Amino acid sequence: MNIKYFVKTVEKKKDHLSIKWNDNFKSKFHFLWLRDNCPTAIHPTANMRVFNILTVSKRIFPKKYTIENNKLNIDWSEGKHSSKFDLKWLRDHCYTEINREKYSSPYVLWNGKLKNNFNKIKLDHDKIINNDKYLKKWLELLHSYGFAIVKNSPIKRKSCFKILNRISHHRETFFGTPFEVVNIPKPNNTAYTAQALRNHTDLPYFEYAPGYQFLHCLINDATGGKSSVVDGFAVANHLMKKELEAFKILTSTHVKFKDTDYTQKAIRILHSPIITLTKDNDFNDIRFSMAAMGAIDINPKKMKEFYDAYQLFASLLHNNKFKINFRLNAGDIFCFNNRRVLHGRTEFDPNSGNRHLQGYYVERDEIIARLNYFNNIKV
Ligand code: OGA
Ligand code: ZN
């Protein structure tokens, strides 16, 4: 075992044990934290905490502590309880160390140049179905690039369920699953016309917009109807570096998104910034859809500067420096992180041939959780 898992000294301080390890790293383990994480606190099969934090006081302390056989043993001042901690577990969960680590983003930002390397994001349908390692490769691409195209899939209706079930269940919405992207009379969504769709994220009016989208192309014989894709995080990053004022406005102004289509007995409204960040100041999500934007109702004092920032972001999201144009062919599944990557299409001529995509959503949680499983992440 690595020397870092062996202990040199343990000292009791006012509210924590200070452990010096063999690699001279010093960890703090607070008394309540130790008691809360006693191995007996965890259900053996459910792997959930059964210990109730209300059963001890904040004055609890180790009456006695020893190191023996790679374990830290503690007799507690309360509850006639003893704990035995595996030293490796303690070091692996050392929050002194974890909090010193610099955050590293899982995202690989990309721009229009990715088109020169398009094979990088293309995968084969049957290999994903048959091989776990290859499935993991797909999940890694989805997580890091937020974009992949699965080639050679069957073109039978609803056949995309099979490959999605390699990940998990899908996210249901009022559009149904799959949703049918075809030109129909009296459409309840502009996606169901032959018109161009500017780059957008789907369903930005949901508090929790669908994490991933899968557009399965069954037929694309019409003229026009070319697809576009752009990394919203890369464009947001550009704003942060070069247009800080606009970036601040788009991360702090709550604008209105809405859905009021005539087939729904529901009115959906959500106020959210267009760009949101995580606790580590990484990108969390992008909500952008000119089509699903409500009449903005921010303070009049802020309207002009908001529109300046919004228009700048919109123009970059449609700039060839960032976006990629490509054509979906029958048997392609266009997969992307719908809370990061925007998609669009050019107008098509419905009299020139057929065009039919079937759409599915899967939560971002499912992609990441499956990837964690394949990577055997310890929690
Ligand atoms: C959609 C959509 C794109 C296309 O259905 O959400 O954006 O290529 N479709 O038809
Ligand atoms: Zn869409």
Side-chain angles (χ1 to χ4, degrees):
M1 206 162 31
N2 192 317
I3 59 150
K4 74 173 194 174
Y5 293 121
F6 294 94
V7 164
K8 265 190 183 160
T9 58
V10 188
E11 269 181 89
K12 189 164 116 191
K13 306 281 186 184
K14 188 166 156 269
D15 59 359
H16 65 274
L17 290 184
S18 169
I19 294 192
K20 189 170 173 187
W21 303 88
N22 253 8
D23 63 351
N24 288 326
F25 190 84
K26 257 190 174 175
S27 306
K28 281 186 179 175
F29 292 106
H30 286 80
F31 302 152
L32 261 177
W33 185 95
L34 284 165
R35 178 63 190 89
D36 196 27
N37 287 294
C38 171
T40 62
I42 306 298
H43 189 281
T45 58
N47 261 332
M48 292 171 79
R49 181 171 284 94
V50 283
F51 173 66
N52 178 355
I53 192 72
L54 297 176
T55 57
V56 291
S57 83
K58 61 184 176 194
R59 290 171 300 277
I60 191 170
F61 64 91
K63 270 196 319 204
K64 196 175 151 206
Y65 55 95
T66 55
I67 302 277
E68 267 167 48
N69 303 327
N70 292 329
K71 303 260 187 214
L72 166 68
N73 304 309
I74 297 179
D75 291 342
W76 292 104
S77 60
E78 293 180 17
K80 295 196 185 80
H81 190 78
S82 306
S83 302
K84 247 186 200 337
F85 293 94
D86 194 27
L87 291 180
K88 180 171 185 305
W89 187 92
L90 277 180
R91 180 65 192 254
D92 285 343
H93 292 81
C94 162
Y95 48 92
T96 314
E97 194 164 35
I98 290 168
N99 277 276
R100 273 189 210 175
E101 281 165 13
K102 206 170 160 277
Y103 172 79
S104 128
S105 174
Y107 304 125
V108 178
L109 304 185
W110 49 269
N111 58 27
K113 289 195 194 127
L114 179 64
K115 184 77 191 263
N116 306 330
N117 242 327
F118 225 38
N119 277 339
K120 200 181 172 88
I121 54 91
K122 289 186 182 168
L123 297 118
D124 178 71
H125 177 273
D126 288 0
K127 283 199 196 162
I128 294 175
I129 296 288
N130 296 320
N131 181 328
D132 273 0
K133 266 205 184 132
Y134 199 82
L135 166 63
K136 182 173 169 230
K137 184 176 155 181
W138 183 36
L139 297 170
E140 279 165 351
L141 262 181
L142 291 176
H143 191 41
S144 58
Y145 282 74
F147 168 41
I149 299 176
V150 174
K151 305 292 290 181
N152 311 316
S153 40
I155 51 168
K156 207 169 154 257
R157 285 171 192 225
K158 301 192 177 181
S159 56
C160 194
F161 274 122
K162 186 168 174 191
I163 196 166
L164 296 185
N165 287 340
R166 290 282 282 146
I167 306 173
S168 185
H169 58 280
H170 65 272
R171 154 90 179 256
E172 199 54 87
T173 74
F174 62 86
F175 290 110
T177 309
F179 50 91
E180 307 289 346
V181 187
V182 272
N183 176 39
I184 53 169
K186 287 193 71 191
N188 61 332
N189 191 292
T190 47
Y192 310 154
T193 66
Q195 291 170 10
L197 300 176
R198 287 163 294 269
N199 291 338
H200 63 281
T201 59
D202 271 19
L203 281 46
Y205 40 79
F206 274 104
E207 183 179 357
Y208 197 44
Y212 278 82
Q213 182 169 172
F214 299 84
L215 286 171
H216 182 200
C217 179
L218 303 181
I219 182 163
N220 194 8
D221 290 344
T223 42
K226 271 190 96 180
S227 302
S228 54
V229 63
V230 59
D231 184 356
F233 285 178
V235 178
N237 189 52
H238 171 89
L239 283 186
M240 188 174 71
K241 299 234 156 93
K242 308 267 184 210
E243 306 279 354
L244 191 56
E245 262 324 292
F247 181 77
K248 282 186 186 160
I249 290 165
L250 295 176
T251 48
S252 63
T253 311
H254 284 68
V255 293
K256 190 200 270 186
F257 296 94
K258 61 104 186 162
D259 180 70
T260 45
D261 90 53
Y262 79 91
T263 62
Q264 298 300 305
K265 290 191 173 66
I267 296 172
R268 298 171 197 279
I269 304 169
L270 182 86
H271 284 84
S272 167
I274 288 176
I275 303 169
T276 66
L277 304 177
T278 67
K279 70 172 176 52
D280 298 298
N281 274 329
D282 200 347
F283 299 108
N284 175 46
D285 62 15
I286 307 287
R287 286 169 202 268
F288 190 95
S289 170
M290 295 187 206
M293 192 83 137
I296 308 296
D297 49 8
I298 56 177
N299 189 313
K301 285 192 201 134
K302 301 207 163 147
M303 195 59 87
K304 186 187 169 308
E305 60 180 29
F306 168 72
Y307 263 102
D308 287 349
Y310 174 50
Q311 210 171 30
L312 174 63
F313 193 40
S315 79
L316 291 168
L317 289 169
H318 291 84
N319 187 314
N320 284 330
K321 181 169 156 34
F322 289 106
K323 78 164 186 222
I324 292 174
N325 299 324
F326 65 102
R327 189 172 180 83
L328 277 175
N329 295 307
D332 288 352
I333 306 170
F334 174 21
C335 327
F336 51 92
N337 180 341
N338 181 57
R339 288 167 53 208
R340 164 183 177 182
V341 167
L342 293 83
H343 63 293
R345 70 160 186 241
T346 60
E347 181 187 6
F348 61 94
D349 175 3
N351 298 315
S352 64
N354 287 324
R355 186 177 193 275
H356 184 186
L357 315 182
Q358 287 194 313
Y360 304 72
Y361 301 115
V362 172
E363 293 302 9
R364 218 149 75 168
D365 286 331
E366 302 304 322
I367 310 283
I368 295 168
R370 203 80 168 102
L371 203 49
N372 286 343
Y373 173 80
F374 283 123
N375 285 327
N376 202 11
I377 295 289
K378 296 271 177 275
V379 280

